[in-house]
Amino acid sequence: MGTQEVLGQAARLASSGLLLQVLFRLVTFVLNAFILHYLSKETVGVVNVRLMLLYSTIIFLAREAFRRACLSGGAQRDWNQTFNLLWLTVPLGVFWSLILGYIWLQLLEVPNPSVVPYYGTGVLLFALSAVVELLGEPFWVLAQTHLFVRFKVIAESLSVIFRSLLIAFLVLCLPHWGLYIFSLAQLLSSTVLVLCYVTYFAKLLGFPESTRQQTLPVSRLTDLLPNVTRSRAFINWKEAKLTWSFFKQSFLKQILTEGERYVMTFLNVLNFGDQGVYDTVNNLGSLVARLIFQPIEESFYIFFAKVLERGKQATLQKQDDVALAAAVLESLLKLALLTGLTITVFGFAYSQLALDIYGGTMLSSGSGPVLLRSYCVYVLLLAVNGVTECFMFAAMSKEAVDRYNFTLLALSSSFLVLSYLLTRWCGSVGFILANCFNMGIRITQSLCFIHRYYQGSPHRPLAGLSLSPVLLGVFVLSGGVTGVSEAFLCCEQGWPARLAHVAVGAFCLGVTLGTAFLTETKLIHFLRTQLGGSRLVNKRT
């Protein structure tokens, strides 16, 4: 497969995934807004912080390293060994479920049963749902490697929508079930996700004449199951060693990713009600990151991993591939910067209105608006970091990955300490400030790596982090105009004034996007050629 074809497929994966995720996330957004009006802050805090932290920790520690290592493999790999390695995520998930389940039940503060009932059952079922989801790992890696775009997004989105629909139904009909509602919905949604993968590949492999079936390294569904033979090793030890390197890194990265939840859970700096408000605002603020940045990061990580040789400097590789990777990286950095700046500038003036519409006075009063405004700044850093680390982890050697683990260890330790201190000083906004500090450090690390990587070559992909003075001026002007509009039109003036405030923001956004279209011609050309090329590939297939 040529590098241009790899780029086209990566762009297709990102754009198609983005469009489908926007569609499905809008459905879940509406459902979650509906559910929030029927829940207490304490219930939201226990479910979204305590129980989801248990689930995400088990999932992350059991599969993240395996995913990164197995997605980096070449086309000539022994897929039976790869599948055998991936199935090890299941016993690893059971191990983490037992350890963490004991901690969540015996060592942490238990919520008041009269306020949040059935906590113990919730812990058990959330842990079980994580193990069930790990059963789909071989299918996920196979789908991701072969760029089964729509299926992957549809399967994951359907499970989320199913979970939200079931919660909404049970909250209305059986509100006294408490945590039974969320635990049952979580377990069933994980089951639905795994069944979607199994059903899809069972049907695909059942038609030998299928074009996609002919490109797969398996011919039967049973080929994805563990396979022991005497003629070869059970697993590819090179992939296993890379997995171990990523595992040490993932353990530290999980602390950075979910650090505030760990501080809230283990240090009790906020009560369950405040945890619920913070987590809801955090989820709302990270919506754009999940919709836009995550598909781009996942898709172009595959592109960089396939185009570049891991561990080699740019001057020692095929120069056509290096030039293409540099051009793509520059465009992605520009796109991330523009998206992040747009969210930051317009998010300040529309945070309170968004929270009032989404969750009512429970979110729009108190610390909610300040939290969301702070999160808008964090989204800008999150956008840039996603692209830079995407490239760095695809190009790093195994030894460099191991060395980077020490950096993550220092960042994890500083984040926990900083979160605790800042939260004691300025409340829940301290978590976001700590996140911003650590994200800035991580961006600096990856920018230094990219600079060293392309040193000696004529390519300067970091130029994507600069904007024209005209566009910067428009951003500043838009921020000032929308800020004045909020002061006079929102949010206690009634809906006519609110709609006028929205109209002002829409006009400023249109001017900003128009200016970006006229000034950032290189980025516009990249988006036109790659997204247009992805549609062409999609029509042909």
Side-chain angles (χ1 to χ4, degrees):
M1 183 183 294
T3 53
Q4 287 292 343
E5 188 178 352
V6 173
L7 174 58
Q9 288 191 338
R12 174 172 163 241
L13 179 62
S15 58
S16 300
L18 172 60
L19 292 175
L20 287 171
Q21 284 202 43
V22 167
L23 176 62
F24 286 114
R25 289 289 182 179
L26 284 176
V27 177
T28 55
F29 180 84
V30 173
L31 289 172
N32 289 337
F34 170 78
I35 293 169
L36 279 174
H37 287 81
Y38 291 88
L39 298 177
S40 66
K41 293 188 294 185
E42 290 74 18
T43 301
V44 174
V46 172
V47 173
N48 289 354
V49 177
R50 179 70 66 84
L51 296 182
M52 286 305 296
L53 179 64
L54 171 64
Y55 164 81
S56 64
T57 303
I58 295 171
I59 287 290
F60 197 95
L61 294 180
R63 79 181 183 191
E64 177 70 12
F66 290 86
R67 282 187 171 186
R68 285 194 173 273
C70 293
L71 287 175
S72 300
Q76 304 302 319
R77 78 175 92 184
D78 186 330
W79 274 96
N80 285 326
Q81 292 180 326
T82 299
F83 293 142
N84 290 340
L85 182 64
L86 287 169
W87 280 111
L88 295 179
T89 60
V90 178
L92 188 60
V94 173
F95 168 79
W96 285 116
S97 296
L98 295 174
I99 297 297
L100 297 175
Y102 175 81
I103 294 174
W104 257 245
L105 288 172
Q106 301 297 326
L107 302 182
L108 297 180
E109 176 191 1
V110 176
N112 187 341
S114 62
V115 179
V116 185
Y118 313 120
Y119 172 75
T121 303
V123 170
L124 295 177
L125 292 182
F126 267 79
L128 178 60
S129 71
V131 176
V132 169
E133 189 166 325
L134 291 172
L135 294 172
E137 277 309 288
F139 303 93
W140 186 93
V141 170
L142 188 61
Q144 187 78 351
T145 304
H146 290 79
L147 303 176
F148 290 172
V149 183
R150 287 180 175 80
F151 159 70
K152 171 182 171 290
V153 176
I154 290 174
E156 294 178 355
S157 300
L158 282 178
S159 69
V160 174
I161 291 176
F162 173 81
R163 177 179 180 272
S164 299
L165 283 172
L166 185 57
I167 291 175
F169 174 78
L170 294 177
V171 164
L172 285 177
C173 299
L174 300 167
H176 59 280
W177 275 23
L179 293 185
Y180 280 150
I181 295 173
F182 301 92
S183 306
L184 181 62
Q186 183 67 34
L187 178 59
L188 291 179
S189 67
S190 296
T191 305
V192 167
L193 179 61
V194 174
L195 288 177
C196 284
Y197 278 103
V198 174
T199 303
Y200 178 81
F201 280 104
K203 290 186 175 181
L204 186 63
L205 296 173
F207 296 95
E209 68 278 4
S210 170
T211 302
R212 284 190 166 185
Q213 194 273 349
Q214 294 172 6
T215 65
L216 293 175
V218 295
S219 58
R220 297 171 301 177
L221 194 63
T222 54
D223 292 339
L224 281 83
L225 298 176
N227 186 11
V228 181
T229 61
R230 295 183 179 180
S231 60
R232 62 176 181 273
F234 181 70
I235 59 175
N236 183 323
W237 287 104
K238 183 179 180 180
E239 282 184 342
K241 291 178 181 178
L242 186 59
T243 300
W244 174 242
S245 297
F246 278 125
F247 175 77
K248 291 182 289 185
Q249 182 190 100
S250 67
F251 190 87
L252 300 172
K253 190 176 179 181
Q254 174 66 2
I255 297 178
L256 290 174
T257 305
E258 303 280 9
E260 65 270 20
R261 294 186 181 185
Y262 288 115
V263 173
M264 283 188 281
T265 298
F266 289 94
L267 299 180
N268 296 321
V269 293
L270 299 175
N271 59 45
F272 287 117
D274 290 339
Q275 289 180 25
V277 173
Y278 172 81
D279 189 77
T280 303
V281 172
N282 180 66
N283 287 335
L284 182 60
S286 64
L287 183 63
V288 175
R290 294 195 302 270
L291 287 178
I292 300 177
F293 306 142
Q294 186 175 354
I296 291 175
E297 182 180 350
E298 290 179 352
S299 304
F300 283 94
Y301 173 81
I302 298 173
F303 164 73
F304 290 128
K306 287 186 176 182
V307 170
L308 301 175
E309 294 184 52
R310 183 180 291 276
K312 284 189 178 181
Q313 287 294 319
T315 54
L316 303 178
Q317 302 195 41
K318 294 180 180 179
Q319 291 307 298
D320 289 343
D321 293 349
V322 169
L324 179 62
V328 171
L329 178 59
E330 181 180 349
S331 296
L332 291 178
L333 286 173
K334 184 79 70 175
L335 180 62
L337 181 63
L338 286 175
T339 306
L341 273 176
T342 302
I343 294 169
T344 301
V345 169
F346 289 91
F348 264 76
Y350 292 89
S351 291
Q352 186 174 356
L353 179 59
L355 290 176
D356 191 59
I357 296 173
Y358 186 64
T361 56
M362 181 185 83
L363 298 180
S364 62
S365 61
S367 62
V370 177
L371 283 172
L372 189 54
R373 291 186 181 104
S374 303
Y375 204 94
C376 288
V377 178
Y378 177 57
V379 167
L380 171 60
L381 299 176
L382 200 64
V384 175
N385 180 73
V387 174
T388 55
E389 284 196 349
C390 158
F391 177 88
M392 182 176 68
F393 289 138
M396 264 185 173
S397 65
K398 175 186 175 300
E399 293 73 21
V401 172
D402 288 335
R403 289 194 299 270
Y404 191 72
N405 290 335
F406 291 101
T407 301
L408 286 181
L409 177 61
L411 286 174
S412 302
S413 303
S414 65
F415 173 77
L416 294 177
V417 174
L418 197 60
S419 295
Y420 180 78
L421 295 177
L422 289 175
T423 306
R424 290 293 186 186
W425 174 51
C426 55
S428 52
V429 74
F431 286 122
I432 300 176
L433 296 178
N435 271 316
C436 289
F437 174 81
N438 280 276
M439 196 60 67
I441 299 292
R442 289 169 64 179
I443 290 173
T444 303
Q445 292 281 335
S446 52
L447 289 180
C448 290
F449 174 86
I450 295 171
H451 175 74
R452 290 194 302 267
Y453 186 85
Y454 280 102
Q455 201 169 22
S457 75
H459 309 294
R460 296 294 179 265
L462 296 183
L465 293 176
S466 62
L467 295 177
S468 69
V470 175
L471 184 55
L472 284 174
V474 171
F475 271 118
V476 173
L477 184 62
S478 296
V481 171
T482 53
V484 172
S485 173
E486 182 188 29
F488 287 96
L489 300 175
C490 188
C491 288
E492 290 80 18
Q493 306 299 323
W495 274 107
R498 292 182 178 188
L499 292 175
H501 177 49
V502 172
V504 171
F507 175 77
C508 291
L509 180 60
V511 172
T512 303
L513 294 180
T515 306
F517 183 84
L518 295 174
T519 57
E520 302 299 336
T521 54
K522 193 173 182 179
L523 173 63
I524 300 302
H525 175 73
F526 172 80
L527 294 176
R528 279 179 170 174
T529 54
Q530 297 311 319
L531 297 185
S534 68
R535 288 194 294 270
L536 181 60
V537 171
N538 187 43
K539 289 179 181 178
R540 289 175 177 173
T541 55

